[in-house]
Amino acid sequence: MSETETDPLGQPVAALAGVGGERASRLAKLGIRTVIDLLWHGPRRYEDRNQPHEAKALAKGDTGTVAGPIVAAGVKRMRHGKSLFEFILDDGTARLHCRWWNMPYMERYYKTGDFVHVHGKLTSEKPRTMDHPEAEVAEEGEEFIHLKRIVPVYRLTDGIKQRWLRAAMWRSVDQFADLVPDTNPGLLAGDDSHWLRLPEAFKAVHFPDDLGQTELARERLALEEFIRFQRQIRERRKIFQAKVKALPCGGDDRLVTPFLDALGFGFTGAQQRAWGDIARDMAGSHPMRRLLQGDVGSGKTAVAACAALRAIESGFSVVVLAPTEILAEQHHRVFSRWLEPLGIPVYLHTGARKTMGDPGQAELNMGNSKLPPLVIGTHALVEEKFALENIGLAIIDEQHKFGVEQRKKLVRKGQYPHVLVMTATPIPRTLGLTVYGDLDCSVIDEMPPGRGQVHTHVRTPESLPKVWGFIRDQLAAGRQAYIVYPRVDDEGGGSLKAVNQELENVREQLAPHAVGLLHGRLKSAEKEEAVAGFLAGDIKALLATSVIEVGVDISNATIMLIENADRFGLAQLHQLRGRIGRGVHESHCILVAGEATDEGRRRLDVMERGVDGFALAEEDLRQRGPGELLGQAQSGLPDFKFGNLIDDWRLIQKARDLVARELAV
Ligand code: ADP
Ligand code: MG
């Protein structure tokens, strides 16, 4: 006999009384295949049918449940073939009109005299009206499930009705909840919070006696999900560590020490700690899997360079993956400057430029006493064609720009190399513990000394003349500026500024200072020329799209003007602002927006308050939700039924601690 036949919770829902093959296939659309899946399908919300709202007490815009008999019902035919089905419910306090457009068949289900519960939003008070409310007719003999109690309301799908699902759930909870094995009781016993047993939690989450129970029950079930997920992470890691031996990168400091000596600055305490973590990992017996987090400008690159040198002095080559050509070029410049004097070949490998094979300065200097190379590239590194011998370390910059798959593909170019991923987009705590839960984490939470302050100003388009005047003054004083617009080209919409259309205007505003142009659709050579000109100071202002968002490091730039700023995401605005404040001078970030949505306005407020990156990341998660925030990086994350990645940080942390303790004994 198979596992599912012996396990009542694992049996397919089709085996339940009242659920046929047809219904079972529809339930599968909700992810419900087995009895236990059904129990994990939690209510979307609850209705207190002990205490419905008085129809009279609802004001326009209020949402509520009202119960009473239908006193009139019928379909009205309207012009243009439209129809309106309406019934009027009278709960003794007032009459409530419930209307459905173009659903004339509703007439069959709701008849005068039926007792109904409706839930919806009052769209008008004269007469009291709800459009397309949820409605349910009370039937004899079912009082204890659908009426006179706190009633669960579930997410549905085509062919699955609320009453049917609720009744099926009632029977299943009754029959199966007590069979759900509780988590290892020892695991939660030591914990100071009081946790429900799982069977109790399932009962209370579906059919609570009072609303106060539901959150306790939800938390218990969410905790269970997080515990399982953390166990999975740990298991995966254990298997990986048992299977894989690390490439020996203990090093001997013969490259790291001269690098640090020549660097021209000392590491901050936070950089030292991060480098300490990395050096320990690389000397260890398991391949490093480490996330290096640090706000923009905190100095991650220099720490990554130490890691690279450690691999190279141990006899291994290094790959560095960057999200854009501009950033790859910049890394190429920086790493060449740092590493070539030590005799290390540094190559670039992007779609547009591949320098492997051209002898670099290092090879010319060193003849044939060759050290393993460092190769920096974009997505081109991930492609089939790219191969490099003896990879000891893969560095992935701005991790959030890549998916889990790309990371894996790069890593598979070697034999389980050490992996260092870097991100300047602070990861909200919940995601740090889940999505990135398989990585150890070092945080650089200290800025290098001698940085000028960054001031943020929110302005309307009317004040642009003054803003341009201010920027001209700054340029005259020797500073440089970024001017950022959301679009490359005006695509006819007209409301968003586009760099190609605005170039002449910006040149005029900033004359006599030279203005350069940078956006993603330029040829590589043109991009390089723009960045090089800006670096050299020949170009005073760079008119750009958000391509400059990641990583560009030019310390004399102190002005960031962003127009249509309300159209950018929080993380993006934060990254853009991170391009300034890198030198000793004071910097100014000017966010210009006209009419903005509430959300847009809120983002600008958050920016102006100048909160740190972590608080900002959490605000961003709250506004956009994990799906949009993570994009493709999300793959690999389970679909939590009760757990909430926005609010459940404490539960996630708790699950992690509990599982760590469980595995330690
Ligand atoms: P991140 O990649 O974290 O955004 P970078 O590594 O680009 O930051 O560093 C920003 C700038 O600060 C670079 O010019 C870098 O050389 C410089 N820098 C890094 N660490 C220090 C330090 N400890 N002291 C002074 N300058 C530093
Ligand atoms: Mg960087």
Side-chain angles (χ1 to χ4, degrees):
M1 267 205 290
S2 78
E3 186 75 6
T4 52
E5 281 168 278
T6 55
D7 170 17
L9 296 169
Q11 63 182 321
V13 277
L16 295 176
V19 187
E22 168 67 19
R23 285 259 170 64
S25 69
R26 292 185 185 263
L27 284 173
K29 295 217 176 80
L30 292 170
I32 302 170
R33 292 184 178 75
T34 62
V35 170
I36 191 72
D37 293 342
L38 184 62
L39 294 183
W40 278 103
H41 187 72
R44 184 160 63 77
R45 62 182 178 82
Y46 301 91
E47 271 177 28
D48 187 346
R49 293 192 177 171
N50 290 310
Q51 231 110 55
H53 293 87
E54 291 187 344
K56 190 178 63 162
L58 288 179
K60 186 176 170 183
D62 288 352
T63 296
T65 305
V66 178
I70 294 177
V71 295
V75 177
K76 285 183 204 159
R77 302 282 160 194
M78 320 288 279
R79 269 179 299 161
H80 308 301
K82 292 193 172 158
S83 76
L84 179 70
F85 170 71
E86 180 176 72
F87 66 62
I88 302 172
L89 167 167
D90 189 339
D91 73 345
T93 70
R95 287 154 74 97
L96 176 67
H97 294 245
C98 299
R99 310 190 297 180
W100 288 263
W101 296 92
N102 300 324
M103 298 169 80
Y105 54 85
M106 298 282 283
E107 195 176 24
R108 275 183 276 148
Y109 303 112
Y110 300 95
K111 301 256 186 291
T112 304
D114 285 349
F115 191 92
V116 286
H117 281 80
V118 298
H119 179 89
K121 185 166 166 182
L122 205 72
T123 47
S124 139
E125 289 184 35
K126 277 186 191 146
R128 290 173 187 284
T129 305
M130 285 184 181
D131 286 325
H132 291 244
E134 288 176 42
E136 229 179 283
V137 178
E139 275 163 33
E140 293 283 316
E142 286 184 326
E143 258 78 335
F144 60 95
I145 303 179
H146 307 284
L147 293 177
K148 302 213 167 49
R149 60 166 307 117
I150 310 277
V151 173
V153 179
Y154 297 99
R155 192 161 57 82
L156 301 173
T157 184
D158 217 20
I160 298 291
K161 289 218 159 58
Q162 196 58 252
R163 291 174 71 79
W164 181 85
L165 181 56
R166 192 182 297 133
M169 194 67 86
W170 174 272
R171 291 192 300 273
S172 302
V173 169
D174 189 43
Q175 198 180 344
F176 298 107
D178 280 317
L179 303 180
V180 177
D182 203 12
T183 332
N184 166 16
L187 181 67
L188 297 177
D191 193 62
D192 42 8
S193 333
H194 170 71
W195 296 106
L196 296 173
R197 293 178 56 250
L198 278 186
E200 307 316 319
F202 278 117
K203 289 178 200 170
V205 92
H206 289 290
F207 296 97
D209 292 332
D210 63 75
L211 279 175
Q213 289 182 346
T214 59
E215 179 55 15
L216 270 183
R218 184 201 72 83
E219 285 184 3
R220 175 63 185 92
L221 295 168
L223 180 73
E224 188 65 19
E225 290 182 294
F226 293 137
I227 287 175
R228 291 178 184 184
F229 183 55
Q230 293 294 342
R231 278 195 185 127
Q232 239 180 36
I233 292 175
R234 294 258 170 180
E235 286 300 316
R236 264 207 309 261
R237 232 185 129 119
K238 233 166 64 188
I239 293 169
F240 173 70
Q241 294 190 339
K243 191 174 69 175
V244 180
K245 275 252 150 300
L247 301 174
C249 288
D252 55 9
D253 281 334
R254 74 180 196 285
L255 295 174
V256 172
T257 302
F259 164 70
L260 290 175
D261 289 346
L263 194 53
F265 52 77
F267 270 9
T268 60
Q271 281 172 311
Q272 264 161 20
R273 278 192 299 281
W275 167 230
D277 292 343
I278 292 167
R280 196 165 0 88
D281 285 356
M282 291 180 71
S285 51
H286 309 301
M288 169 166 74
R289 292 289 177 270
R290 187 165 285 278
L291 176 67
L292 180 58
Q293 283 197 69
D295 220 333
V296 283
S298 62
K300 295 181 294 296
T301 317
V303 172
C306 283
L309 291 166
R310 175 51 49 88
I312 292 166
E313 70 187 17
S314 308
F316 296 98
S317 58
V318 175
V319 285
V320 180
L321 179 63
T324 64
E325 262 176 40
I326 293 173
L327 192 53
E329 293 272 357
Q330 174 176 296
H331 277 326
H332 183 237
R333 245 185 343 261
V334 172
F335 279 101
S336 300
R337 174 154 56 82
W338 283 340
L339 272 53
E340 289 200 338
L342 300 167
I344 300 161
V346 177
Y347 301 111
L348 187 67
H349 188 88
T350 67
R353 202 146 82 88
K354 301 185 171 59
T355 65
M356 244 190 311
D358 316 345
Q361 204 49 46
E363 288 102 306
L364 296 179
N365 292 347
M366 301 299 288
N368 41 13
S369 66
K370 253 177 95 191
L371 286 164
L374 177 121
V375 183
I376 296 151
T378 51
H379 295 80
L381 284 179
V382 176
E383 285 164 14
E384 297 286 320
K385 289 192 297 267
F386 175 77
L388 183 65
E389 268 176 51
N390 218 8
I391 299 175
L393 171 67
I395 298 173
I396 298 164
D397 194 13
E398 304 297 348
Q399 155 76 9
H400 64 290
K401 297 278 169 181
F402 297 100
V404 171
E405 272 317 305
Q406 283 166 310
R407 183 171 113 197
K408 282 190 188 149
K409 270 193 192 150
L410 179 70
V411 169
R412 276 193 226 109
K413 303 274 179 184
Q415 281 292 320
Y416 297 105
H418 297 283
V419 176
L420 179 67
V421 303
M422 303 198 284
T423 177
T425 305
I427 297 168
R429 290 169 296 184
T430 53
L431 303 187
L433 293 172
T434 50
V435 184
Y436 299 99
D438 57 339
L439 300 174
D440 297 309
C441 187
S442 301
V443 180
I444 304 185
D445 52 4
E446 183 184 349
M447 282 290 172
R451 295 279 169 95
Q453 235 190 323
V454 180
H455 304 276
T456 302
H457 321 271
V458 177
R459 294 287 180 266
T460 57
E462 288 73 60
S463 43
L464 272 172
K466 265 172 83 179
V467 170
W468 288 122
F470 173 73
I471 297 177
R472 275 193 303 273
D473 292 346
Q474 291 284 314
L475 299 186
R479 304 288 85 75
Q480 287 172 286
Y482 297 101
I483 316 291
V484 176
Y485 294 153
R487 292 244 167 104
V488 175
D489 267 303
D490 185 352
E491 279 136 15
S495 67
L496 295 187
K497 289 205 175 171
V499 289
N500 280 338
Q501 278 65 39
E502 297 293 326
L503 181 59
E504 277 321 304
N505 177 42
V506 172
R507 288 203 159 126
E508 222 165 273
Q509 295 292 349
L510 298 182
H513 306 288
V515 177
L517 184 66
L518 184 65
H519 61 73
R521 292 192 207 154
L522 292 177
K523 296 204 182 70
S524 297
E526 294 171 316
K527 288 188 214 169
E528 266 172 60
E529 197 184 325
V531 173
F534 196 60
L535 252 176
D538 303 335
I539 292 173
K540 298 293 181 210
L542 200 54
L543 176 59
T545 57
S546 60
V547 289
I548 56 156
E549 166 194 345
V550 265
V552 176
D553 180 33
I554 294 170
S555 63
N556 191 45
T558 58
I559 302 289
M560 170 69 62
L561 169 66
I562 306 175
E563 286 209 58
N564 301 118
D566 56 311
R567 295 309 194 87
F568 292 86
L570 257 184
Q572 229 176 0
L573 289 172
H574 181 66
Q575 286 284 333
L576 285 168
R577 182 170 62 185
R579 298 308 117 218
I580 55 174
R582 291 175 162 252
V584 294
H585 298 285
E586 284 207 344
S587 290
H588 298 271
C589 175
I590 306 157
L591 305 173
V592 177
E595 293 280 303
T597 60
D598 289 351
E599 290 241 313
R601 183 61 54 198
R602 208 159 46 234
R603 286 196 289 270
L604 299 181
D605 288 346
V606 172
M607 288 296 292
E608 197 168 32
R609 269 187 279 131
V611 297
D612 71 50
F614 283 91
L616 196 137
E618 278 177 8
E619 181 65 28
D620 204 25
L621 176 63
R622 193 165 294 283
Q623 285 195 16
R624 290 198 289 160
E628 201 190 323
L629 191 66
L630 290 166
Q632 53 180 338
Q634 194 188 13
S635 57
L637 198 63
D639 164 28
F640 295 110
K641 307 282 184 206
F642 293 94
N644 177 334
L645 284 179
I646 297 180
D647 293 317
D648 283 340
W649 172 63
R650 271 165 219 293
L651 285 176
I652 296 171
Q653 183 69 48
K654 166 98 23 187
R656 193 172 143 112
D657 294 348
L658 290 170
V659 171
R661 212 187 310 154
E662 172 185 61
L663 295 180
V665 291

